[in-house]
Amino acid sequence: MHAALLIATKDLRQRLRDRSVLVFTLVLPLGLGLVFSLVLGDVGGGNTVFRYAVVNADGGPVAAVFTDEVLPAAVEGGAVDVRSASSRDEALRLVDSGDVTAAFILPPAFSDDVRAGRAATVEVVGDVDSPLGTGVARSIAESFTQRLASTRISVAAALLGGSTQDPAELAARAAALTDPLVLVDAPASRRELDATTYYAAGMAVFFLFFTVQFGVTSLLDERRTGTLARMLASPIRPSSVLIGKLITSLAVGVVGTTVLVAATSLLMGARWGHPLGVGLLIVSGVLAATGIVAVVASLARTSEQAGGWQSVTAITLGALGGAFFPVTQVGEPLATLSLLSPHRWFLRGLADLAGGEVTAVLPSVGVLTAFALVGFGIASALTRREVGW
């Protein structure tokens, strides 16, 4: 063990003189995390307010339901701001100038058309540069028209069933009925990371795979320069050489990620959670990254080849695991595949920690440790013949 510590100390001194370690450990993850947070933080954090205009050229009771009930209810949610426009031309001008994200236009005779059973249209004009805001406006209009359609069907069914009541009265009674299914806003945010913390953590675990490779791939450099052969010819046990390289990767990864956690907390306001839970995730995440990187390095013949393969592996696993965006929002197939990535389990552990006790991270820590054990086992088998331990 003493020899392994000496080898690790020598490698760490070399890495401290190598500025690339500082770049991959702190500069790049901190910079990209800040950029992602600034660009996508408002959308992810629910701070975006979509500005809409509404033109009520009808003035009838059905149009009043949309302007006086539907839109104010959306405004109360905090994500929508609505202003009135006097005409369709003014609404189009507001959209073109970017003053509003989209405009709702209720044409003349809209209420009469709805009550008479004729085709009626709610026009939504959106800004081409704001597809998300336009989509939200379209969803609001569609929910209103679907409610009108269900009311119309209810009235028609009542009349076909022999009802003699006034259709307008039937429509009012149908519109007043409570929906059989109610969407409840559950407090899911308790187990979700805010945008700043998510992107800080995503960049931390993404660049972790680049950081830990400095220790593992140095074994290939030792072989290229001939120092590996000299170490193996000395009284040093071959296992001590491998353990020394792994200690280097683990030390660089743990210290670098810990510094990054402190830096993002102070500079970006990231909220990582309970220190013990974060510490467990960092250690298990570093072990998992080192195990996977060790497998890749065991298959390569040179450090340059290992660096290329490890970069491809890091980018693939990072994208799959949600380091750049929440993959769970994409759909079920990709969400399931993301479980094959340590990045997903690291981020999932942090999310569980945000809404639970420290023990909530244990499932993710267990999976990350399993990644490490499998990686170390495969790498050990691949390098056994090379090092001869």
Side-chain angles (χ1 to χ4, degrees), residues 87-292:
S87 65
R88 186 176 188 275
D89 291 339
E90 181 185 358
L92 296 181
R93 186 170 61 254
L94 291 173
V95 173
D96 290 338
S97 63
D99 291 335
V100 299
T101 306
F104 303 100
I105 300 173
L106 302 172
F110 175 78
S111 298
D112 293 339
D113 290 340
V114 171
R115 288 186 293 185
R118 296 189 294 267
T121 303
V122 177
E123 186 177 3
V124 178
V125 181
D127 186 350
V128 295
D129 295 327
S130 301
L132 182 59
T134 302
V136 172
R138 186 182 298 112
S139 297
I140 294 174
E142 287 178 350
S143 65
F144 174 63
T145 56
Q146 288 172 0
R147 184 65 182 270
L148 291 178
S150 63
T151 301
R152 181 181 293 180
I153 292 173
S154 299
V155 172
L159 294 176
L160 289 175
S163 174
T164 58
Q165 295 186 29
D166 181 62
E169 182 180 349
L170 289 173
R173 293 179 59 185
L177 292 176
T178 303
D179 290 333
L181 296 177
V182 179
L183 182 63
V184 178
D185 187 13
S189 59
R190 292 186 304 170
R191 289 189 178 274
E192 290 183 352
L193 299 174
D194 60 84
T196 299
T197 306
Y198 182 88
Y199 291 114
M203 291 301 99
V205 69
F206 175 71
F207 282 100
L208 179 59
F209 279 70
F210 292 91
T211 303
V212 298
Q213 71 176 343
F214 289 109
V216 175
T217 55
S218 64
L219 189 64
L220 298 173
D221 292 327
E222 302 277 13
R223 183 175 62 185
R224 177 176 56 83
T225 58
T227 52
L228 177 61
R230 289 197 290 272
M231 284 192 292
L232 294 178
S234 69
I236 299 176
R237 298 174 60 183
S239 59
S240 298
V241 178
L242 290 178
I243 294 174
K245 300 301 180 184
L246 292 178
I247 290 176
T248 302
S249 291
L250 297 177
V252 172
V254 171
V255 173
T257 307
T258 303
V259 172
L260 185 62
V261 168
T264 53
S265 299
L266 294 174
L267 301 178
M268 297 171 56
R271 294 173 293 186
W272 288 78
H274 195 284
L276 178 57
V278 176
L280 290 173
L281 286 172
I282 290 176
V283 173
S284 58
V286 170
L287 287 171
T290 304
I292 293 175

Side-chain angles (χ1 to χ4, degrees), residues 4-17:
L5 292 176
L6 288 177
I7 292 173
T9 303
K10 182 265 296 179
D11 285 350
L12 289 173
R13 287 176 177 173
Q14 290 179 338
R15 296 308 168 191
L16 288 176
R17 293 193 293 267

Side-chain angles (χ1 to χ4, degrees), residues 43 46 66 71 193 249 303 318 328:
V43 175
F66 184 71
L71 292 181
L193 299 174
S249 291
S303 59
T328 55

